Amino acid sequence: MRRRTGLTHAAVAAALLIGSWAAAGTLPASAQEAPASAAADASAPASPALLDAMRRDLGLTRAEAEDRLAAERRATALAPSARKSAGSAYGGAWFDARSGRLTVAVTPDAGTTTVRTLRESGAAVRTVEHTERQLNTAKSRLDRLDAPAGVASWAVDPAANRVVVNVVEDAGTDNDVRAFVRKARAAGPVTVRTVADAPSTFAAGTVGGDPYYTGNVRCSIGFSVHGGFVTAGHCGGVGQQVRGWDGSYIGNFQGSSFPGNDYAWVNVGSGWWTVPVVLGWGTVPDQLVRGSAEAPVGASICRSGSTTRWHCGRVLAKNETVNYAQGAVHQMTKTSVCAEGGDSGGSFISGDQAQGVTSGGWGNCSSGGETWFQPVNEILNRYGLTLHTA
């Protein structure tokens, strides 16, 4: 974050086209001096802006959004122990928005004691045919195949108890696509679904007043870490310089991986520093970041980016392989949140828990679409970084 002088508070709000979460530079001076007082209260379920976005994108009232977040926090906390309780019979888990509970899938050999333990913990239980390990093995076989452009992605769907292969609807009759699907079905329990369009990354050409630039590319800052921030790998390569909203030098890409992965981190210096907050679009800090507990499939999730600001949706799948034109990217999380060019690298957050950085998707925020993110914990582990939390 870099101190700006000679701007009124209103002028700052008008000038900043930030749209990213916990940024490495762009708070008004008043927020720099007292970020804790400007951010959401620690006892609040979420910031007003996040609740507003959930009301807009998920069709919830404010009370429903608060209840949803509370239920998701319980499900997130329960998920690790539920996996342990299910043991080798574990078939996956997801958050069911209708019941407000975590649903845990188990195979028939789970036993009555295991099922009773899961139910007593507050989880719903569903009996399925395949374990998560079997599904992940099948998915890994698909990862070794060369996918044609008409295959958008593939991932384990715990609720379907299948590996789902997503095919672009206009490519279903393509010979290469049909050959891939045949090989996929031979790899294990696979089902095929159609999607409207092929995925692409969300970088954009340089536009004045946006969060950060590298070369002629504009992307969005992700979450602050001690010493820098994380973002998308397709936004820049190792050593490339990064410039802030005002054109001044921030730092350089210290690590970057794309394709295969889509993550990177940038060091911060030269008068910029980091803060553990999610920024509203061109406003004062809005939400403190308090951790990175992973939300389950089915949970609500929100995204902020420099082009389309705040948008919310649901977690649709995890560990999905996305087949971009530049090559496949693995271990992605798919969401129903929309995004557009320039949103790449921006933050995905669930409540006050960091989830990941925007990678790409299909569609837009006018007609809708789907967006993938690279999980933040994977990025932190890969580079030995520590999330900057409140």
Side-chain angles (χ1 to χ4, degrees):
M1 179 168 53
R2 184 181 180 89
R3 183 177 299 276
R4 288 161 287 168
T5 57
L7 290 175
T8 66
H9 189 84
V12 167
L16 296 183
L17 304 181
I18 306 170
S20 63
W21 305 99
T26 46
L27 287 179
S30 60
Q32 295 172 16
E33 293 161 2
S37 62
D41 183 87
S43 62
S47 68
L50 188 146
L51 293 172
D52 286 343
M54 291 179 69
R55 291 193 329 220
R56 178 193 65 205
D57 295 336
L58 297 176
L60 303 175
T61 66
R62 182 185 181 92
E64 289 171 338
E66 291 177 343
D67 289 344
R68 173 81 171 261
L69 288 171
E72 290 172 356
R73 282 197 295 271
R74 291 192 294 270
T76 298
L78 176 59
S81 61
R83 175 191 287 269
K84 184 176 181 179
S85 296
S88 61
Y90 183 72
W94 61 95
F95 176 77
D96 184 347
R98 288 175 293 183
S99 67
R101 299 167 68 192
L102 183 75
T103 298
V104 181
V106 296
T107 53
D109 58 341
T112 56
T113 301
T114 295
V115 172
R116 183 173 62 253
T117 299
L118 288 168
R119 287 176 175 159
E120 289 175 349
S121 71
V125 180
R126 180 185 296 181
T127 302
V128 296
E129 181 180 0
H130 307 287
T131 65
E132 183 186 60
R133 183 174 182 177
Q134 290 170 330
L135 295 175
N136 285 339
T137 298
K139 193 255 179 186
S140 67
R141 293 183 183 125
L142 270 64
D143 286 343
R144 292 192 287 270
L145 300 176
D146 290 328
V151 177
S153 64
W154 53 94
V156 170
D157 183 340
N161 199 228
R162 293 286 188 275
V163 178
V164 176
V165 176
N166 296 294
V167 173
V168 179
E169 57 186 357
D170 293 337
T173 59
D174 180 85
N175 287 335
D176 291 337
V177 170
R178 294 172 70 178
F180 180 90
V181 169
R182 284 196 301 271
K183 294 177 183 177
R185 292 190 189 281
V190 166
T191 188
V192 177
R193 296 175 185 167
T194 58
V195 294
D197 205 350
S200 61
T201 56
F202 285 129
T206 298
V207 176
D210 290 298
Y212 83 88
Y213 311 98
T214 177
N216 64 346
V217 171
R218 167 171 62 86
C219 282
S220 299
I221 291 169
F223 292 97
S224 289
V225 297
H226 290 285
F229 65 84
V230 294
T231 187
H234 70 263
C235 292
V238 174
Q240 283 193 274
Q241 288 192 359
V242 172
R243 305 187 310 279
W245 66 274
D246 59 355
S248 66
Y249 170 75
I250 295 177
N252 297 73
F253 278 84
Q254 299 298 304
S256 180
S257 179
F258 179 79
N261 306 294
D262 193 7
Y263 51 59
W265 83 281
V266 175
N267 68 317
V268 168
S270 301
W272 295 74
W273 63 92
T274 65
V275 288
V277 298
V278 168
L279 299 176
W281 203 85
T283 62
V284 298
D286 190 80
Q287 178 72 39
L288 289 170
V289 178
R290 296 189 173 92
S292 57
E294 185 178 335
V297 170
S300 64
I301 194 165
C302 296
R303 178 196 57 74
S304 183
S306 61
T307 299
T308 59
R309 310 183 187 183
W310 298 72
H311 285 276
C312 296
R314 295 181 300 110
V315 178
L316 299 179
K318 295 185 180 183
N319 191 25
E320 183 149 6
T321 299
V322 182
N323 190 35
Y324 292 130
Q326 300 93 329
V329 177
H330 307 288
Q331 297 178 309
M332 302 276 271
T333 298
K334 180 167 68 177
T335 75
S336 63
V337 187
C338 67
E340 297 180 11
D343 287 329
S344 280
S347 312
F348 269 90
I349 191 166
S350 183
D352 58 10
Q353 299 296 304
Q355 298 296 310
V357 300
T358 303
S359 173
W362 61 268
N364 55 54
C365 289
S366 297
S367 60
E370 295 176 336
T371 303
W372 286 266
F373 67 80
Q374 187 88 64
V376 69
N377 287 333
E378 181 183 356
I379 309 172
L380 300 177
N381 291 335
R382 169 63 180 83
Y383 295 118
L385 302 171
T386 300
L387 187 68
H388 193 168
T389 58

